[in-house]
Amino acid sequence: MPAGRLGGRTAVVTGAASGLGRAIAMRFAREGATVIVSDLQPEPIGTRADELPTVDVIDRAGGSAVFVRADVRQPEQVDALVTRATAITGRLDIVVNNAGLFGLSPLLETTEEKWDADLALNLRSQFLMCKRAIAQMITQDAVDEVRGRIVNISSQLGMTAAPGATTYGVAKAGVAQLTRQLAVDFAADGIIVNAIAPGRIITGTQAAEREYLATGATDEATRFSLSRTPFPRLGRPEDVAGAALFLASDDCTFISGHNLMVDGGWLAY
Ligand SMILES: NC(=O)c1ccc[n+]([C@@H]2O[C@H](COP(=O)([O-])OP(=O)(O)OC[C@H]3O[C@@H](n4cnc5c(N)ncnc54)[C@H](O)[C@@H]3O)[C@@H](O)[C@H]2O)c1
């Protein structure tokens, strides 16, 4: 078997052009997985213009990755993504449902259209991916009791409410419950389903975060997050990637339905 904690495994990571998905894809590739980097576009959004697409970074480091364009809100594109990933080795070992977008939606300003659109991106997409991926995984032979592993990215804001984050918070709470439900329903089939709830992770996607990374200058939101987080720093994408690696690896045994906080102790405070 190829070296690394994910040697020989095929992993799909959605929203993997940028941010947390990009870090997870890179970490999985370093651990020997063949990574299907899926996103709306291959180029990272909002980052430095000279930053390479995720697949190119993995390729240059000697890893194995392929980009597959898919909008996770569209069932036929989700279907094509899982079909393409499965064609590589005949099985799909790992799915990380990461694509999503934070935005504010105070109740009285939230139209029905916005509610539907936000939940389509942040919750329905994970239902679609889980349904299609698990339909494939239950047909596969078990390896050390496991037919497949799913890691859903929820959020600290699905566990606790932030002012005005109505649709996002409800969607991410739904992701945590979807995770528990599928863990129960498919435990006997050898499907392990867990979630990660990141706290405030500085990805550099937003302009204020790029400024903070470059100069240490903080805006009001960053100052609040720093003051509220017990750890003396905010999160890094690699913090989430390490947690995802654990949940996707053979070290994660007899653990399913869990929603792992990666938040520097925010929720414990
Ligand atoms: N960064 C944080 O502090 C934080 C905290 C908690 C949860 N999260 C969650 O982590 C995940 C990643 O967040 P991020 O901060 O890395 O975001 P990001 O904006 O940096 O990256 C998200 C990626 O998802 C892609 N994407 C968006 N819509 C898509 C669609 N319909 N289909 C396919 N891909 C799509 C984007 O193109 C982008 O590459 C999200 O689910 C987010 O809600 C992030």
Side-chain angles (χ1 to χ4, degrees), residues 15-180:
S18 319
L20 306 188
R22 180 176 168 90
I24 292 167
M26 289 179 182
R27 185 75 202 271
F28 280 16
R30 276 211 308 279
E31 295 292 340
T34 296
V35 184
I36 288 61
V37 173
S38 187
D39 208 301
L40 298 173
Q41 73 295 312
E43 297 81 19
I45 53 172
T47 41
R48 294 194 338 262
D50 61 352
E51 208 154 14
L52 290 170
T54 307
V55 282
D56 293 352
V57 177
I58 291 172
D59 196 46
R60 288 185 182 198
S64 174
V66 54
F67 176 77
V68 176
R69 192 183 310 273
D71 182 339
V72 290
R73 294 168 296 188
Q74 307 299 335
E76 65 284 358
Q77 295 187 33
V78 164
D79 181 47
L81 169 61
V82 172
T83 300
R84 174 85 187 277
T86 306
I88 295 173
T89 64
R91 59 185 291 139
L92 175 57
D93 301 292
I94 300 159
V95 168
V96 181
N97 287 314
N98 165 79
L101 188 64
F102 171 73
L104 290 176
S105 53
L107 180 71
L108 300 182
E109 296 161 27
T110 301
T111 62
E112 292 161 41
E113 290 74 21
K114 179 162 176 57
W115 174 274
D116 288 346
D118 288 0
L119 269 82
L121 176 56
N122 289 314
L123 177 58
R124 184 175 178 271
S125 63
Q126 299 208 20
F127 150 70
L128 292 173
M129 280 295 300
C130 285
K131 184 177 175 184
R132 179 62 183 88
I134 288 175
Q136 166 58 36
M137 288 171 172
I138 58 175
T139 69
Q140 302 173 173
D141 290 339
V143 178
D144 294 335
E145 304 177 336
V146 177
R147 288 194 166 81
R149 295 173 183 273
I150 294 185
V151 181
N152 295 324
I153 304 299
S154 61
S155 173
Q156 164 186 291
L157 299 187
M159 307 298 107
T160 181
T166 313
T167 58
Y168 185 79
V170 169
K172 292 300 192 177
V175 167
Q177 182 60 18
L178 179 68
T179 301
R180 285 186 283 266

